[in-house]
Amino acid sequence: SLLLKRSALVRELHLYDVKGTAGVMADLSHINTFTKVRAFEGNANLLDCLQGCDLVVIPAGVPRKPGMTRDDLFKINASIVASLTAGIAESCPGAFVAIISNPVNSTVPIAAEVLKRKGCYNPAKLFGVTSLDVVRANTFVAEASNQAPEKMNVPVIGGHSGNTILPLLSQTTPRNSLPMEKVKALTHRIQNAGTEVVEAKAGTGSATLSMAAAAHRFAESCLRALNGESGVVECAYVENTEPISQGLPFFALPVRLNKTGVSGFVNLAQLS
């Protein structure tokens, strides 16, 4: 919310949680940007919060603790995502919906089913946010190849959990000449980077700051596309029928974004 309050693309920022948003709103409202902040708490105010929104970002749910996998979060977070998605169907059925809540590989299909039942599912506007995998890959590959991390771009496809995270280290921009042994080590680190943070925090939480930066990056890209900017590309977990997905209904790919959502996919070179 702090990063979005500072965005020139956000006219009005709505905060929602079961409690505690009033204090966050008061704090954010003192920042000298034109973005108006409003706070909503509890189920009774969900529909008002979502009314007329263009982009809804869902980071809701419980974080991972040491020894937990993203799948362990499923029972709790799936029901939260389902109830929020039902609210979206009522109040802003045409909005872009960006889901961060883990396990993304499961919460996104659940949201799709809720929207289908409500008669307003648009696969071009439902996204699983996998930007943190890209941010991590950019950082780690840049460090290993002695390049600028802010200029590195590593396509990351597949999913958002363990070995479903597939960084395409042979297709980075700029290119790299990393040996296969380093490629394998980097791939393993990127796939397990979330656990790295969970263990470092020793039971006090999971990735929050890097996730916030990655979510802000994805939200900004969506807003730029909604504003009519062309050439916006982000990796995201979306429904598609691309051959590379090999029949899987949802798969993370580099997607082209425009005002209507996903307008196409970036062509990838042959995988090594």
Side-chain angles (χ1 to χ4, degrees):
S1 60
L2 172 62
L3 294 171
L4 289 173
K5 174 67 170 80
R6 295 179 59 82
S7 172
L9 298 174
V10 180
R11 182 179 68 253
E12 190 164 302
L13 179 63
H14 289 190
L15 311 178
Y16 175 82
D17 208 336
V18 291
K19 61 180 180 178
T21 58
V24 178
M25 180 200 72
D27 204 354
L28 289 174
S29 67
H30 293 178
I31 297 171
N32 61 322
T33 63
F34 77 95
T35 303
K36 180 180 178 182
V37 185
R38 297 180 62 192
F40 301 83
E41 295 182 0
N43 289 335
N45 292 304
L46 175 61
L47 297 184
D48 285 342
C49 173
L50 293 168
Q51 190 65 46
C53 288
D54 299 301
L55 168 66
V56 180
V57 181
I58 303 180
V62 296
R64 278 203 294 162
K65 295 180 180 178
M68 293 177 69
T69 66
R70 290 179 178 88
D71 289 339
D72 293 329
L73 306 176
F74 178 77
K75 287 184 179 178
I76 298 172
N77 291 357
S79 62
I80 294 172
V81 169
S83 64
L84 293 174
T85 305
I88 291 168
E90 294 290 330
S91 290
C92 54
F96 282 24
V97 181
I99 297 179
I100 298 169
S101 307
N102 277 313
V104 165
N105 293 2
S106 301
T107 54
V108 173
I110 285 171
E113 290 305 313
V114 171
L115 294 170
K116 286 176 186 176
R117 287 201 301 268
K118 296 286 188 178
C120 59
Y121 177 52
N122 182 347
K125 293 187 175 184
L126 177 65
F127 310 91
V129 179
T130 61
S131 302
L132 183 52
D133 299 325
V134 176
V135 167
R136 286 167 168 160
N138 291 348
T139 301
F140 302 159
V141 172
E143 287 175 351
S145 57
N146 196 29
Q147 300 192 64
E150 65 274 15
K151 295 181 180 179
M152 177 61 65
N153 182 47
V154 182
V156 182
I157 66 172
H160 183 58
S161 178
N163 61 9
T164 70
I165 299 169
L166 184 59
L168 302 183
L169 302 190
S170 63
Q171 301 190 35
T172 65
T173 306
R175 302 302 292 267
N176 68 79
S177 55
L178 295 169
M180 184 52 66
E181 144 184 339
K182 194 68 176 177
V183 167
K184 289 180 179 179
L186 282 168
T187 298
H188 183 266
R189 188 184 180 197
I190 293 163
Q191 290 175 334
N192 294 280
T195 301
E196 186 178 308
V197 176
V198 169
E199 292 177 349
K201 289 192 173 183
T204 61
S206 56
T208 51
L209 301 177
S210 54
M211 183 66 252
H216 171 255
R217 165 184 165 148
F218 187 79
E220 282 263 317
S221 291
C222 289
L223 294 169
R224 285 162 47 212
L226 283 165
N227 276 352
E229 184 175 328
S230 60
V232 180
V233 174
E234 285 288 347
C235 289
Y237 186 68
V238 296
E239 184 172 343
N240 69 91
T241 57
E242 294 295 290
I244 197 171
S245 302
Q246 298 185 29
L248 294 172
F250 290 88
F251 202 80
L253 291 169
V255 301
R256 300 186 189 279
L257 299 171
N258 65 13
K259 285 184 175 182
T260 63
V262 176
S263 62
F265 300 90
V266 175
N267 291 326
L268 296 170
Q270 185 71 29
L271 300 189
S272 66

